[in-house]
Amino acid sequence: MDPVAALELRSVELQIPRNNKDHHTEDLGSSKLILRRGQIFILTMVFSRPFQPQKDHLTFVAETGPEPTELLGTRATFFLAQTRPENVWSASDFMTDSNSLQVSIFSPASAVIGHYTLKLVISEGQGPGVTYPLGNFILLFNPWSTEDDVYLPSETLLREYIMSDYGFIYKGQTNSITSRPWNYGQFEEDIIDICFEILNKSLYFLKNPSKDHSQRNNVVYVCRVVSAMINSNDDSGVLQGNWGEDYSQGTSPLEWNGSVAILRQWSARGGQPVKYGQCWVFASVMCTVMRCLGVPTRVVSNFHSAHNTDGNLTIDTYYDRTAEMLTAERPDKIWNFHVWNECWMIRKDLPPGYNGWQVLDPTPQQTSSGLFCCGPASVKAIKEGDIQLPYDTPFVYAEVNADEVVWLFEGGQVQEILAHNTSYIGKAISTKMVGSDERLDITSSYKYPEGSSEERSVFIKASWKLLERRRNASSLLDLLGSESFKAKPVQLQLHLAKAPMWGQDLLLMLYVQRVPVRDRVQGPVGLTVRFCAQALLHGGGTRKPFWRHILHLNVDFEKELQWPFVLPYSSYRDKLTDEKLIHVAGIAELEETGQFILVLKDFSLEPPHLSIEVFERAEVGKALNIHITLTNTLMVPLNNCAMVLEGSGLINGQMTKDLGILMAGHTIRIHLELYPIKAGPHQLQVLISSSEVKEIKGYKDILVAAALAS
């Protein structure tokens, strides 16, 4: 061969299996080169003759987005060098072997994420070069890189918050928290492309595609875009919210098992919002997208979560003297629980000390910079009351710290304050424990212990910042300095005497205790207690009462009474929402003084229990027998029963089966075979829904072994 002939590229090997493994992306597929920024990848080129460094000039060009430019950071041009410069695009550490050349390509940890094309320009001297395409790759955030803003220095945490494709959502009530399995499925083959499709349908992209792409190096920016795009209030977002009770035009939020079916449906229909989502669905889908893009993410539930629209840090609720919770005209509310995300990142846009977990909330509650999105708000800033820091920190602070003021309302106006609850809101803030199926309480990350001097000090600090422009408009500042309300001679508590099962009578117990009060006669006290039960809505409101009860009691000094009563199934059977939540309130009137005492109990009714059993070792490609058992423990049949199975690595997509009617007291046993797809830890999620109970869920953790070599 002529040693001075022009160098020509004959072939290129992207070494996808090796590079994807090195970049922790092998679970995303083997057909595409998927890389993480701030890390080298290897490629091998075969030329028409041996490469001669003194004669042959190689220039590499990496481009992403429409109309890429060096100025916007969407185009990088770099030359072959023997040593690698710091934190810029480079090609170095090359090795030659006959006509082949192996090169290490490095992308900086500040590079724009997205779909890239890589080209090679071969030239001699100052003459024009010949351009060859080398291939395409996807670049993601890199939480393994110390230089990346999403760096997380723990392999254990990375396994949970990047590599785990299943988890749990915590729902229910503070005193009866339930866990629901969820299939994040971020490694399903088409999900990574759908994630970038989401970015490319955002209003920011549609307004200025080049500028939008140039900002995708910034994790704060990307998080805000995704937060806005998971809901569809402003754009062609993924999910349409529905907090009503008619889901006939789509799927009830209770009936989703995971994110994959939602994302695929959104993509297949050209970006039409999927019906329907509520907070846990929005947050779970965002978790899938962010983990797929390389941002450590978890799903967090906040119980008794305030939605404080006027920023005064108080939520007012109203009762009449019959203990009926009244509908408030103001939009403030207390969700019985609310679910959001935390993403891990360095906040270069904030003063030092606010790195780490940041709240992002894709549920459309209020606008931020004109769009329905929320965050990132530093969890540390929330704990310290530094609500002036971006983004949306005052709103999140109120979600976990607002005070509840309960009013007695009669004759068209408020009569008196029944309670000022400083510790009711922001309870049992929960997420999945790392490496476990257990729940982790992270309330202490968000606030100091309730009632502590630090907690009240932070609350007052945040309050003055929020209210400094409108002090006269709020009752809060009066309450902040107030003493506890006039002492009451009787204390009331309401408890469930046994676990509340849907379809059964509910047994409640009222505990009444006489307590000493200064300047009072210590004789018996007469009480009239009026009880009212209402269906509780997820947003904290109620339906009209479906049950009332009155007790007349006399309580001697320093004595305690226990009074049982029954809330019959016949009273609530057709009155509840699909979430099966009940709000029981009691207002006791002291016959001697006319004082009122409020007692409350919220609870969710438990569905029948689902059992899933696997008796054998799971192996890729080998039949695995699954045994599912459900006993109808209710007093009524379950009609139109249907089962949906899901589990990334175990099932491709979903399996569905109609089960018909399950009579009261009867048991159904289902046997089926799965053929696991991927080795490693996986979770099988099972949902059985019926006309009467929408959400009977169970799960089974399954460790799948690699296929034995034949």
Side-chain angles (χ1 to χ4, degrees), residues 639-658:
N639 293 287
N640 303 309
C641 294
M643 181 176 69
V644 180
L645 278 77
E646 197 165 323
S648 289
L650 299 170
I651 300 170
N652 188 7
Q654 295 179 324
M655 293 175 63
T656 59
K657 185 177 177 68
D658 288 329

PDB file of all heavy atoms in Angstrom, residues 639-658:
ATOM      1  N   ASN A 639     -67.733  -7.433  42.193  1.00  0.00           N
ATOM      2  CA  ASN A 639     -68.167  -7.606  40.808  1.00  0.00           C
ATOM      3  C   ASN A 639     -67.136  -7.063  39.829  1.00  0.00           C
ATOM      4  O   ASN A 639     -66.387  -6.138  40.136  1.00  0.00           O
ATOM      5  CB  ASN A 639     -69.498  -6.890  40.594  1.00  0.00           C
ATOM      6  CG  ASN A 639     -70.631  -7.538  41.366  1.00  0.00           C
ATOM      7  OD1 ASN A 639     -71.099  -8.603  41.006  1.00  0.00           O
ATOM      8  ND2 ASN A 639     -71.056  -6.899  42.456  1.00  0.00           N
ATOM      9  N   ASN A 640     -67.135  -7.644  38.631  1.00  0.00           N
ATOM     10  CA  ASN A 640     -66.255  -7.195  37.536  1.00  0.00           C
ATOM     11  C   ASN A 640     -64.787  -7.156  37.950  1.00  0.00           C
ATOM     12  O   ASN A 640     -64.076  -6.179  37.704  1.00  0.00           O
ATOM     13  CB  ASN A 640     -66.693  -5.813  37.037  1.00  0.00           C
ATOM     14  CG  ASN A 640     -68.138  -5.798  36.572  1.00  0.00           C
ATOM     15  OD1 ASN A 640     -68.538  -6.641  35.771  1.00  0.00           O
ATOM     16  ND2 ASN A 640     -68.926  -4.869  37.097  1.00  0.00           N
ATOM     17  N   CYS A 641     -64.337  -8.211  38.583  1.00  0.00           N
ATOM     18  CA  CYS A 641     -62.933  -8.280  39.027  1.00  0.00           C
ATOM     19  C   CYS A 641     -62.015  -8.434  37.817  1.00  0.00           C
ATOM     20  O   CYS A 641     -62.276  -9.230  36.898  1.00  0.00           O
ATOM     21  CB  CYS A 641     -62.718  -9.454  39.972  1.00  0.00           C
ATOM     22  SG  CYS A 641     -63.594  -9.305  41.541  1.00  0.00           S
ATOM     23  N   ALA A 642     -60.940  -7.671  37.814  1.00  0.00           N
ATOM     24  CA  ALA A 642     -59.937  -7.753  36.745  1.00  0.00           C
ATOM     25  C   ALA A 642     -58.558  -7.655  37.372  1.00  0.00           C
ATOM     26  O   ALA A 642     -58.350  -6.919  38.349  1.00  0.00           O
ATOM     27  CB  ALA A 642     -60.138  -6.631  35.731  1.00  0.00           C
ATOM     28  N   MET A 643     -57.613  -8.386  36.816  1.00  0.00           N
ATOM     29  CA  MET A 643     -56.249  -8.422  37.352  1.00  0.00           C
ATOM     30  C   MET A 643     -55.271  -7.860  36.324  1.00  0.00           C
ATOM     31  O   MET A 643     -55.363  -8.151  35.136  1.00  0.00           O
ATOM     32  CB  MET A 643     -55.859  -9.853  37.717  1.00  0.00           C
ATOM     33  CG  MET A 643     -54.456  -9.982  38.313  1.00  0.00           C
ATOM     34  SD  MET A 643     -54.081 -11.672  38.848  1.00  0.00           S
ATOM     35  CE  MET A 643     -53.982 -12.513  37.260  1.00  0.00           C
ATOM     36  N   VAL A 644     -54.318  -7.049  36.800  1.00  0.00           N
ATOM     37  CA  VAL A 644     -53.238  -6.539  35.966  1.00  0.00           C
ATOM     38  C   VAL A 644     -51.914  -6.864  36.660  1.00  0.00           C
ATOM     39  O   VAL A 644     -51.738  -6.561  37.845  1.00  0.00           O
ATOM     40  CB  VAL A 644     -53.346  -5.009  35.752  1.00  0.00           C
ATOM     41  CG1 VAL A 644     -52.196  -4.514  34.886  1.00  0.00           C
ATOM     42  CG2 VAL A 644     -54.679  -4.644  35.123  1.00  0.00           C
ATOM     43  N   LEU A 645     -50.997  -7.479  35.917  1.00  0.00           N
ATOM     44  CA  LEU A 645     -49.660  -7.783  36.424  1.00  0.00           C
ATOM     45  C   LEU A 645     -48.641  -6.945  35.676  1.00  0.00           C
ATOM     46  O   LEU A 645     -48.761  -6.723  34.463  1.00  0.00           O
ATOM     47  CB  LEU A 645     -49.304  -9.262  36.230  1.00  0.00           C
ATOM     48  CG  LEU A 645     -49.824 -10.265  37.254  1.00  0.00           C
ATOM     49  CD1 LEU A 645     -51.297 -10.539  36.997  1.00  0.00           C
ATOM     50  CD2 LEU A 645     -49.032 -11.570  37.190  1.00  0.00           C
ATOM     51  N   GLU A 646     -47.638  -6.488  36.401  1.00  0.00           N
ATOM     52  CA  GLU A 646     -46.583  -5.671  35.814  1.00  0.00           C
ATOM     53  C   GLU A 646     -45.300  -5.944  36.581  1.00  0.00           C
ATOM     54  O   GLU A 646     -45.325  -6.314  37.751  1.00  0.00           O
ATOM     55  CB  GLU A 646     -46.982  -4.192  35.938  1.00  0.00           C
ATOM     56  CG  GLU A 646     -46.213  -3.251  35.039  1.00  0.00           C
ATOM     57  CD  GLU A 646     -46.899  -1.883  34.957  1.00  0.00           C
ATOM     58  OE1 GLU A 646     -48.137  -1.817  34.944  1.00  0.00           O
ATOM     59  OE2 GLU A 646     -46.174  -0.884  34.891  1.00  0.00           O
ATOM     60  N   GLY A 647     -44.165  -5.736  35.953  1.00  0.00           N
ATOM     61  CA  GLY A 647     -42.887  -5.905  36.639  1.00  0.00           C
ATOM     62  C   GLY A 647     -41.745  -5.885  35.646  1.00  0.00           C
ATOM     63  O   GLY A 647     -41.557  -6.844  34.891  1.00  0.00           O
ATOM     64  N   SER A 648     -40.993  -4.786  35.622  1.00  0.00           N
ATOM     65  CA  SER A 648     -39.870  -4.679  34.693  1.00  0.00           C
ATOM     66  C   SER A 648     -38.857  -5.778  34.978  1.00  0.00           C
ATOM     67  O   SER A 648     -38.540  -6.059  36.129  1.00  0.00           O
ATOM     68  CB  SER A 648     -39.212  -3.301  34.826  1.00  0.00           C
ATOM     69  OG  SER A 648     -40.063  -2.307  34.295  1.00  0.00           O
ATOM     70  N   GLY A 649     -38.362  -6.386  33.909  1.00  0.00           N
ATOM     71  CA  GLY A 649     -37.425  -7.498  34.034  1.00  0.00           C
ATOM     72  C   GLY A 649     -38.105  -8.838  34.157  1.00  0.00           C
ATOM     73  O   GLY A 649     -37.460  -9.882  34.000  1.00  0.00           O
ATOM     74  N   LEU A 650     -39.416  -8.824  34.454  1.00  0.00           N
ATOM     75  CA  LEU A 650     -40.177 -10.069  34.601  1.00  0.00           C
ATOM     76  C   LEU A 650     -41.197 -10.237  33.482  1.00  0.00           C
ATOM     77  O   LEU A 650     -41.414 -11.342  32.985  1.00  0.00           O
ATOM     78  CB  LEU A 650     -40.912 -10.087  35.949  1.00  0.00           C
ATOM     79  CG  LEU A 650     -40.043 -10.028  37.204  1.00  0.00           C
ATOM     80  CD1 LEU A 650     -40.922  -9.798  38.434  1.00  0.00           C
ATOM     81  CD2 LEU A 650     -39.231 -11.310  37.364  1.00  0.00           C
ATOM     82  N   ILE A 651     -41.851  -9.121  33.122  1.00  0.00           N
ATOM     83  CA  ILE A 651     -42.924  -9.132  32.124  1.00  0.00           C
ATOM     84  C   ILE A 651     -42.645  -8.013  31.130  1.00  0.00           C
ATOM     85  O   ILE A 651     -42.245  -6.918  31.522  1.00  0.00           O
ATOM     86  CB  ILE A 651     -44.302  -8.882  32.786  1.00  0.00           C
ATOM     87  CG1 ILE A 651     -44.614  -9.964  33.815  1.00  0.00           C
ATOM     88  CG2 ILE A 651     -45.411  -8.816  31.746  1.00  0.00           C
ATOM     89  CD1 ILE A 651     -45.828  -9.645  34.672  1.00  0.00           C
ATOM     90  N   ASN A 652     -42.859  -8.293  29.876  1.00  0.00           N
ATOM     91  CA  ASN A 652     -42.756  -7.246  28.861  1.00  0.00           C
ATOM     92  C   ASN A 652     -44.106  -6.542  28.774  1.00  0.00           C
ATOM     93  O   ASN A 652     -45.068  -7.071  28.237  1.00  0.00           O
ATOM     94  CB  ASN A 652     -42.363  -7.858  27.511  1.00  0.00           C
ATOM     95  CG  ASN A 652     -42.048  -6.790  26.483  1.00  0.00           C
ATOM     96  OD1 ASN A 652     -41.996  -5.607  26.808  1.00  0.00           O
ATOM     97  ND2 ASN A 652     -41.837  -7.207  25.249  1.00  0.00           N
ATOM     98  N   GLY A 653     -44.186  -5.349  29.351  1.00  0.00           N
ATOM     99  CA  GLY A 653     -45.458  -4.627  29.378  1.00  0.00           C
ATOM    100  C   GLY A 653     -46.324  -5.087  30.532  1.00  0.00           C
ATOM    101  O   GLY A 653     -45.890  -5.127  31.674  1.00  0.00           O
ATOM    102  N   GLN A 654     -47.566  -5.459  30.232  1.00  0.00           N
ATOM    103  CA  GLN A 654     -48.514  -5.878  31.259  1.00  0.00           C
ATOM    104  C   GLN A 654     -49.188  -7.183  30.864  1.00  0.00           C
ATOM    105  O   GLN A 654     -49.278  -7.524  29.686  1.00  0.00           O
ATOM    106  CB  GLN A 654     -49.609  -4.809  31.456  1.00  0.00           C
ATOM    107  CG  GLN A 654     -49.120  -3.485  32.009  1.00  0.00           C
ATOM    108  CD  GLN A 654     -50.263  -2.483  32.144  1.00  0.00           C
ATOM    109  OE1 GLN A 654     -51.178  -2.443  31.316  1.00  0.00           O
ATOM    110  NE2 GLN A 654     -50.219  -1.662  33.180  1.00  0.00           N
ATOM    111  N   MET A 655     -49.653  -7.918  31.884  1.00  0.00           N
ATOM    112  CA  MET A 655     -50.529  -9.066  31.665  1.00  0.00           C
ATOM    113  C   MET A 655     -51.868  -8.745  32.320  1.00  0.00           C
ATOM    114  O   MET A 655     -51.910  -8.223  33.439  1.00  0.00           O
ATOM    115  CB  MET A 655     -49.946 -10.333  32.303  1.00  0.00           C
ATOM    116  CG  MET A 655     -48.665 -10.832  31.653  1.00  0.00           C
ATOM    117  SD  MET A 655     -47.948 -12.250  32.540  1.00  0.00           S
ATOM    118  CE  MET A 655     -49.239 -13.480  32.355  1.00  0.00           C
ATOM    119  N   THR A 656     -52.959  -9.025  31.624  1.00  0.00           N
ATOM    120  CA  THR A 656     -54.284  -8.745  32.179  1.00  0.00           C
ATOM    121  C   THR A 656     -55.149 -10.003  32.132  1.00  0.00           C
ATOM    122  O   THR A 656     -54.958 -10.880  31.280  1.00  0.00           O
ATOM    123  CB  THR A 656     -55.001  -7.626  31.402  1.00  0.00           C
ATOM    124  OG1 THR A 656     -55.131  -8.029  30.031  1.00  0.00           O
ATOM    125  CG2 THR A 656     -54.202  -6.331  31.454  1.00  0.00           C
ATOM    126  N   LYS A 657     -56.108 -10.074  33.074  1.00  0.00           N
ATOM    127  CA  LYS A 657     -56.986 -11.240  33.126  1.00  0.00           C
ATOM    128  C   LYS A 657     -58.297 -10.831  33.794  1.00  0.00           C
ATOM    129  O   LYS A 657     -58.296 -10.200  34.854  1.00  0.00           O
ATOM    130  CB  LYS A 657     -56.320 -12.360  33.944  1.00  0.00           C
ATOM    131  CG  LYS A 657     -57.086 -13.676  33.970  1.00  0.00           C
ATOM    132  CD  LYS A 657     -56.301 -14.714  34.751  1.00  0.00           C
ATOM    133  CE  LYS A 657     -57.060 -16.039  34.868  1.00  0.00           C
ATOM    134  NZ  LYS A 657     -57.199 -16.725  33.574  1.00  0.00           N
ATOM    135  N   ASP A 658     -59.429 -11.151  33.161  1.00  0.00           N
ATOM    136  CA  ASP A 658     -60.735 -10.923  33.767  1.00  0.00           C
ATOM    137  C   ASP A 658     -61.046 -12.068  34.721  1.00  0.00           C
ATOM    138  O   ASP A 658     -60.882 -13.251  34.371  1.00  0.00           O
ATOM    139  CB  ASP A 658     -61.821 -10.830  32.691  1.00  0.00           C
ATOM    140  CG  ASP A 658     -61.732  -9.531  31.900  1.00  0.00           C
ATOM    141  OD1 ASP A 658     -61.297  -8.524  32.487  1.00  0.00           O
ATOM    142  OD2 ASP A 658     -62.087  -9.538  30.702  1.00  0.00           O
TER     143      ASP A 658
END
